[in-house]
Amino acid sequence: MGSVGAVVVVVVVLVCALFSVCAGADGAVLRGQDELPPYLGGFPSLGKAPAFREEWFDQTVDHFTFSDARTYKQRYLVCDKFWDKTTPTLFFYTGNEGDIEAFYQNTGLVFDIAPQFNALVVFAEHRYYGKSMPFGDQSLTLENMRFLTTEQALADFAVLIRSLKEEFGMVQNGAVIAFGGSYGGMLSS
C-alpha cells in the first residue's frame, strides 16, 4: 500500500473511532456534557491523562550531514496502560512548539481511543522545545538555530519511531498512527 493509501486508512479509522465515541449505542449523537469526550468539551473520560514514563533518546543533531556525528537527548513520554503486547499498534504524538508534557496532559482523543486499539502511546518532544535542547543553554544562538527545521524534526521522529518499533517488538506488521495539533498536526500528516 502506498503512502497515500496508508493516510486514507488512518483517516478512515480515526473518523470511525471518533464517531463511535461521539454516538450512542442507538446511533444518536450524545448531548450531555458528561457524555461527550473531553476533546469536544466533556469531562475527561479518564479523569486526567494516565501516568507516563519519561524516556530519553540519543538523537542525531544533523540528519543530513555525514561528517557531523553530534547527538542530543530527545525526550519522549511513554504510556503502556492500554497496550496489549500482542497488538503491534503505536500511537505517536508528534510534538510541536512547547514542552511535550503540556501536550500530553491536554490531548484527550489519543487516550480516549487508545484502549480500542490496544495501543502503546508515545509523545515525542520536538527539538529545541521543553527539555530537548540540542546545545543546552547555547541552543538558541544564531549558529545553533540552523538545526531547527521541519526536515530535521521529521527525521528525528522517523528515527525515534524505528527505534521504538524495535524496542517494543513491533518491527513487522506494526502500525504507527501519528497524532498532532496545529504545527504538530502538520508534521504528523
Side-chain angles (χ1 to χ4, degrees):
M1 174 180 333
S3 60
V4 173
V7 170
V8 170
V9 168
V10 169
V11 170
V12 169
V13 167
L14 290 178
V15 168
C16 291
L18 178 62
F19 181 77
S20 69
V21 171
C22 297
D26 60 358
V29 176
L30 302 176
R31 288 184 171 55
Q33 189 175 33
D34 290 335
E35 300 173 74
L36 290 174
Y39 50 89
L40 294 178
F43 299 115
S45 57
L46 299 173
K48 63 179 184 172
F52 62 83
R53 261 187 349 269
E54 180 180 74
E55 300 284 344
W56 298 90
F57 181 73
D58 286 324
Q59 189 60 266
T60 303
V61 170
D62 187 357
H63 294 278
F64 307 106
T65 303
F66 295 111
S67 61
D68 188 348
R70 292 178 293 178
T71 62
Y72 75 97
K73 298 287 187 188
Q74 180 182 19
R75 180 169 69 145
Y76 63 98
L77 311 177
V78 177
C79 173
D80 58 7
K81 175 183 177 87
F82 313 107
W83 186 41
D84 173 359
K85 293 176 175 67
T86 63
T87 307
T89 303
L90 173 62
F91 280 7
F92 189 85
Y93 186 93
T94 54
N96 43 323
E97 59 277 50
D99 186 303
I100 196 62
E101 194 169 339
F103 295 107
Y104 184 94
Q105 297 297 340
N106 293 290
T107 306
L109 171 65
V110 174
F111 300 115
D112 284 344
I113 66 174
Q116 295 173 19
F117 292 90
N118 301 316
L120 177 68
V121 178
V122 173
F123 276 61
E125 191 161 67
H126 193 295
R127 59 174 48 212
Y128 288 86
Y129 292 98
K131 297 179 183 176
S132 298
M133 303 299 277
F135 301 99
D137 293 343
Q138 297 301 308
S139 293
L140 302 180
T141 65
L142 188 58
E143 172 66 21
N144 291 334
M145 289 287 288
R146 66 190 170 111
F147 299 107
L148 177 56
T149 66
T150 56
E151 293 84 2
Q152 295 286 357
L154 286 169
D156 285 349
F157 295 146
V159 170
L160 179 57
I161 287 169
R162 185 178 316 131
S163 175
L164 291 167
K165 286 181 74 174
E166 288 179 22
E167 177 182 346
F168 290 101
M170 298 179 176
V171 177
Q172 296 191 7
N173 302 321
V176 177
I177 301 173
F179 293 85
S182 187
Y183 166 61
M186 184 273 305
L187 293 174
S188 70
S189 67

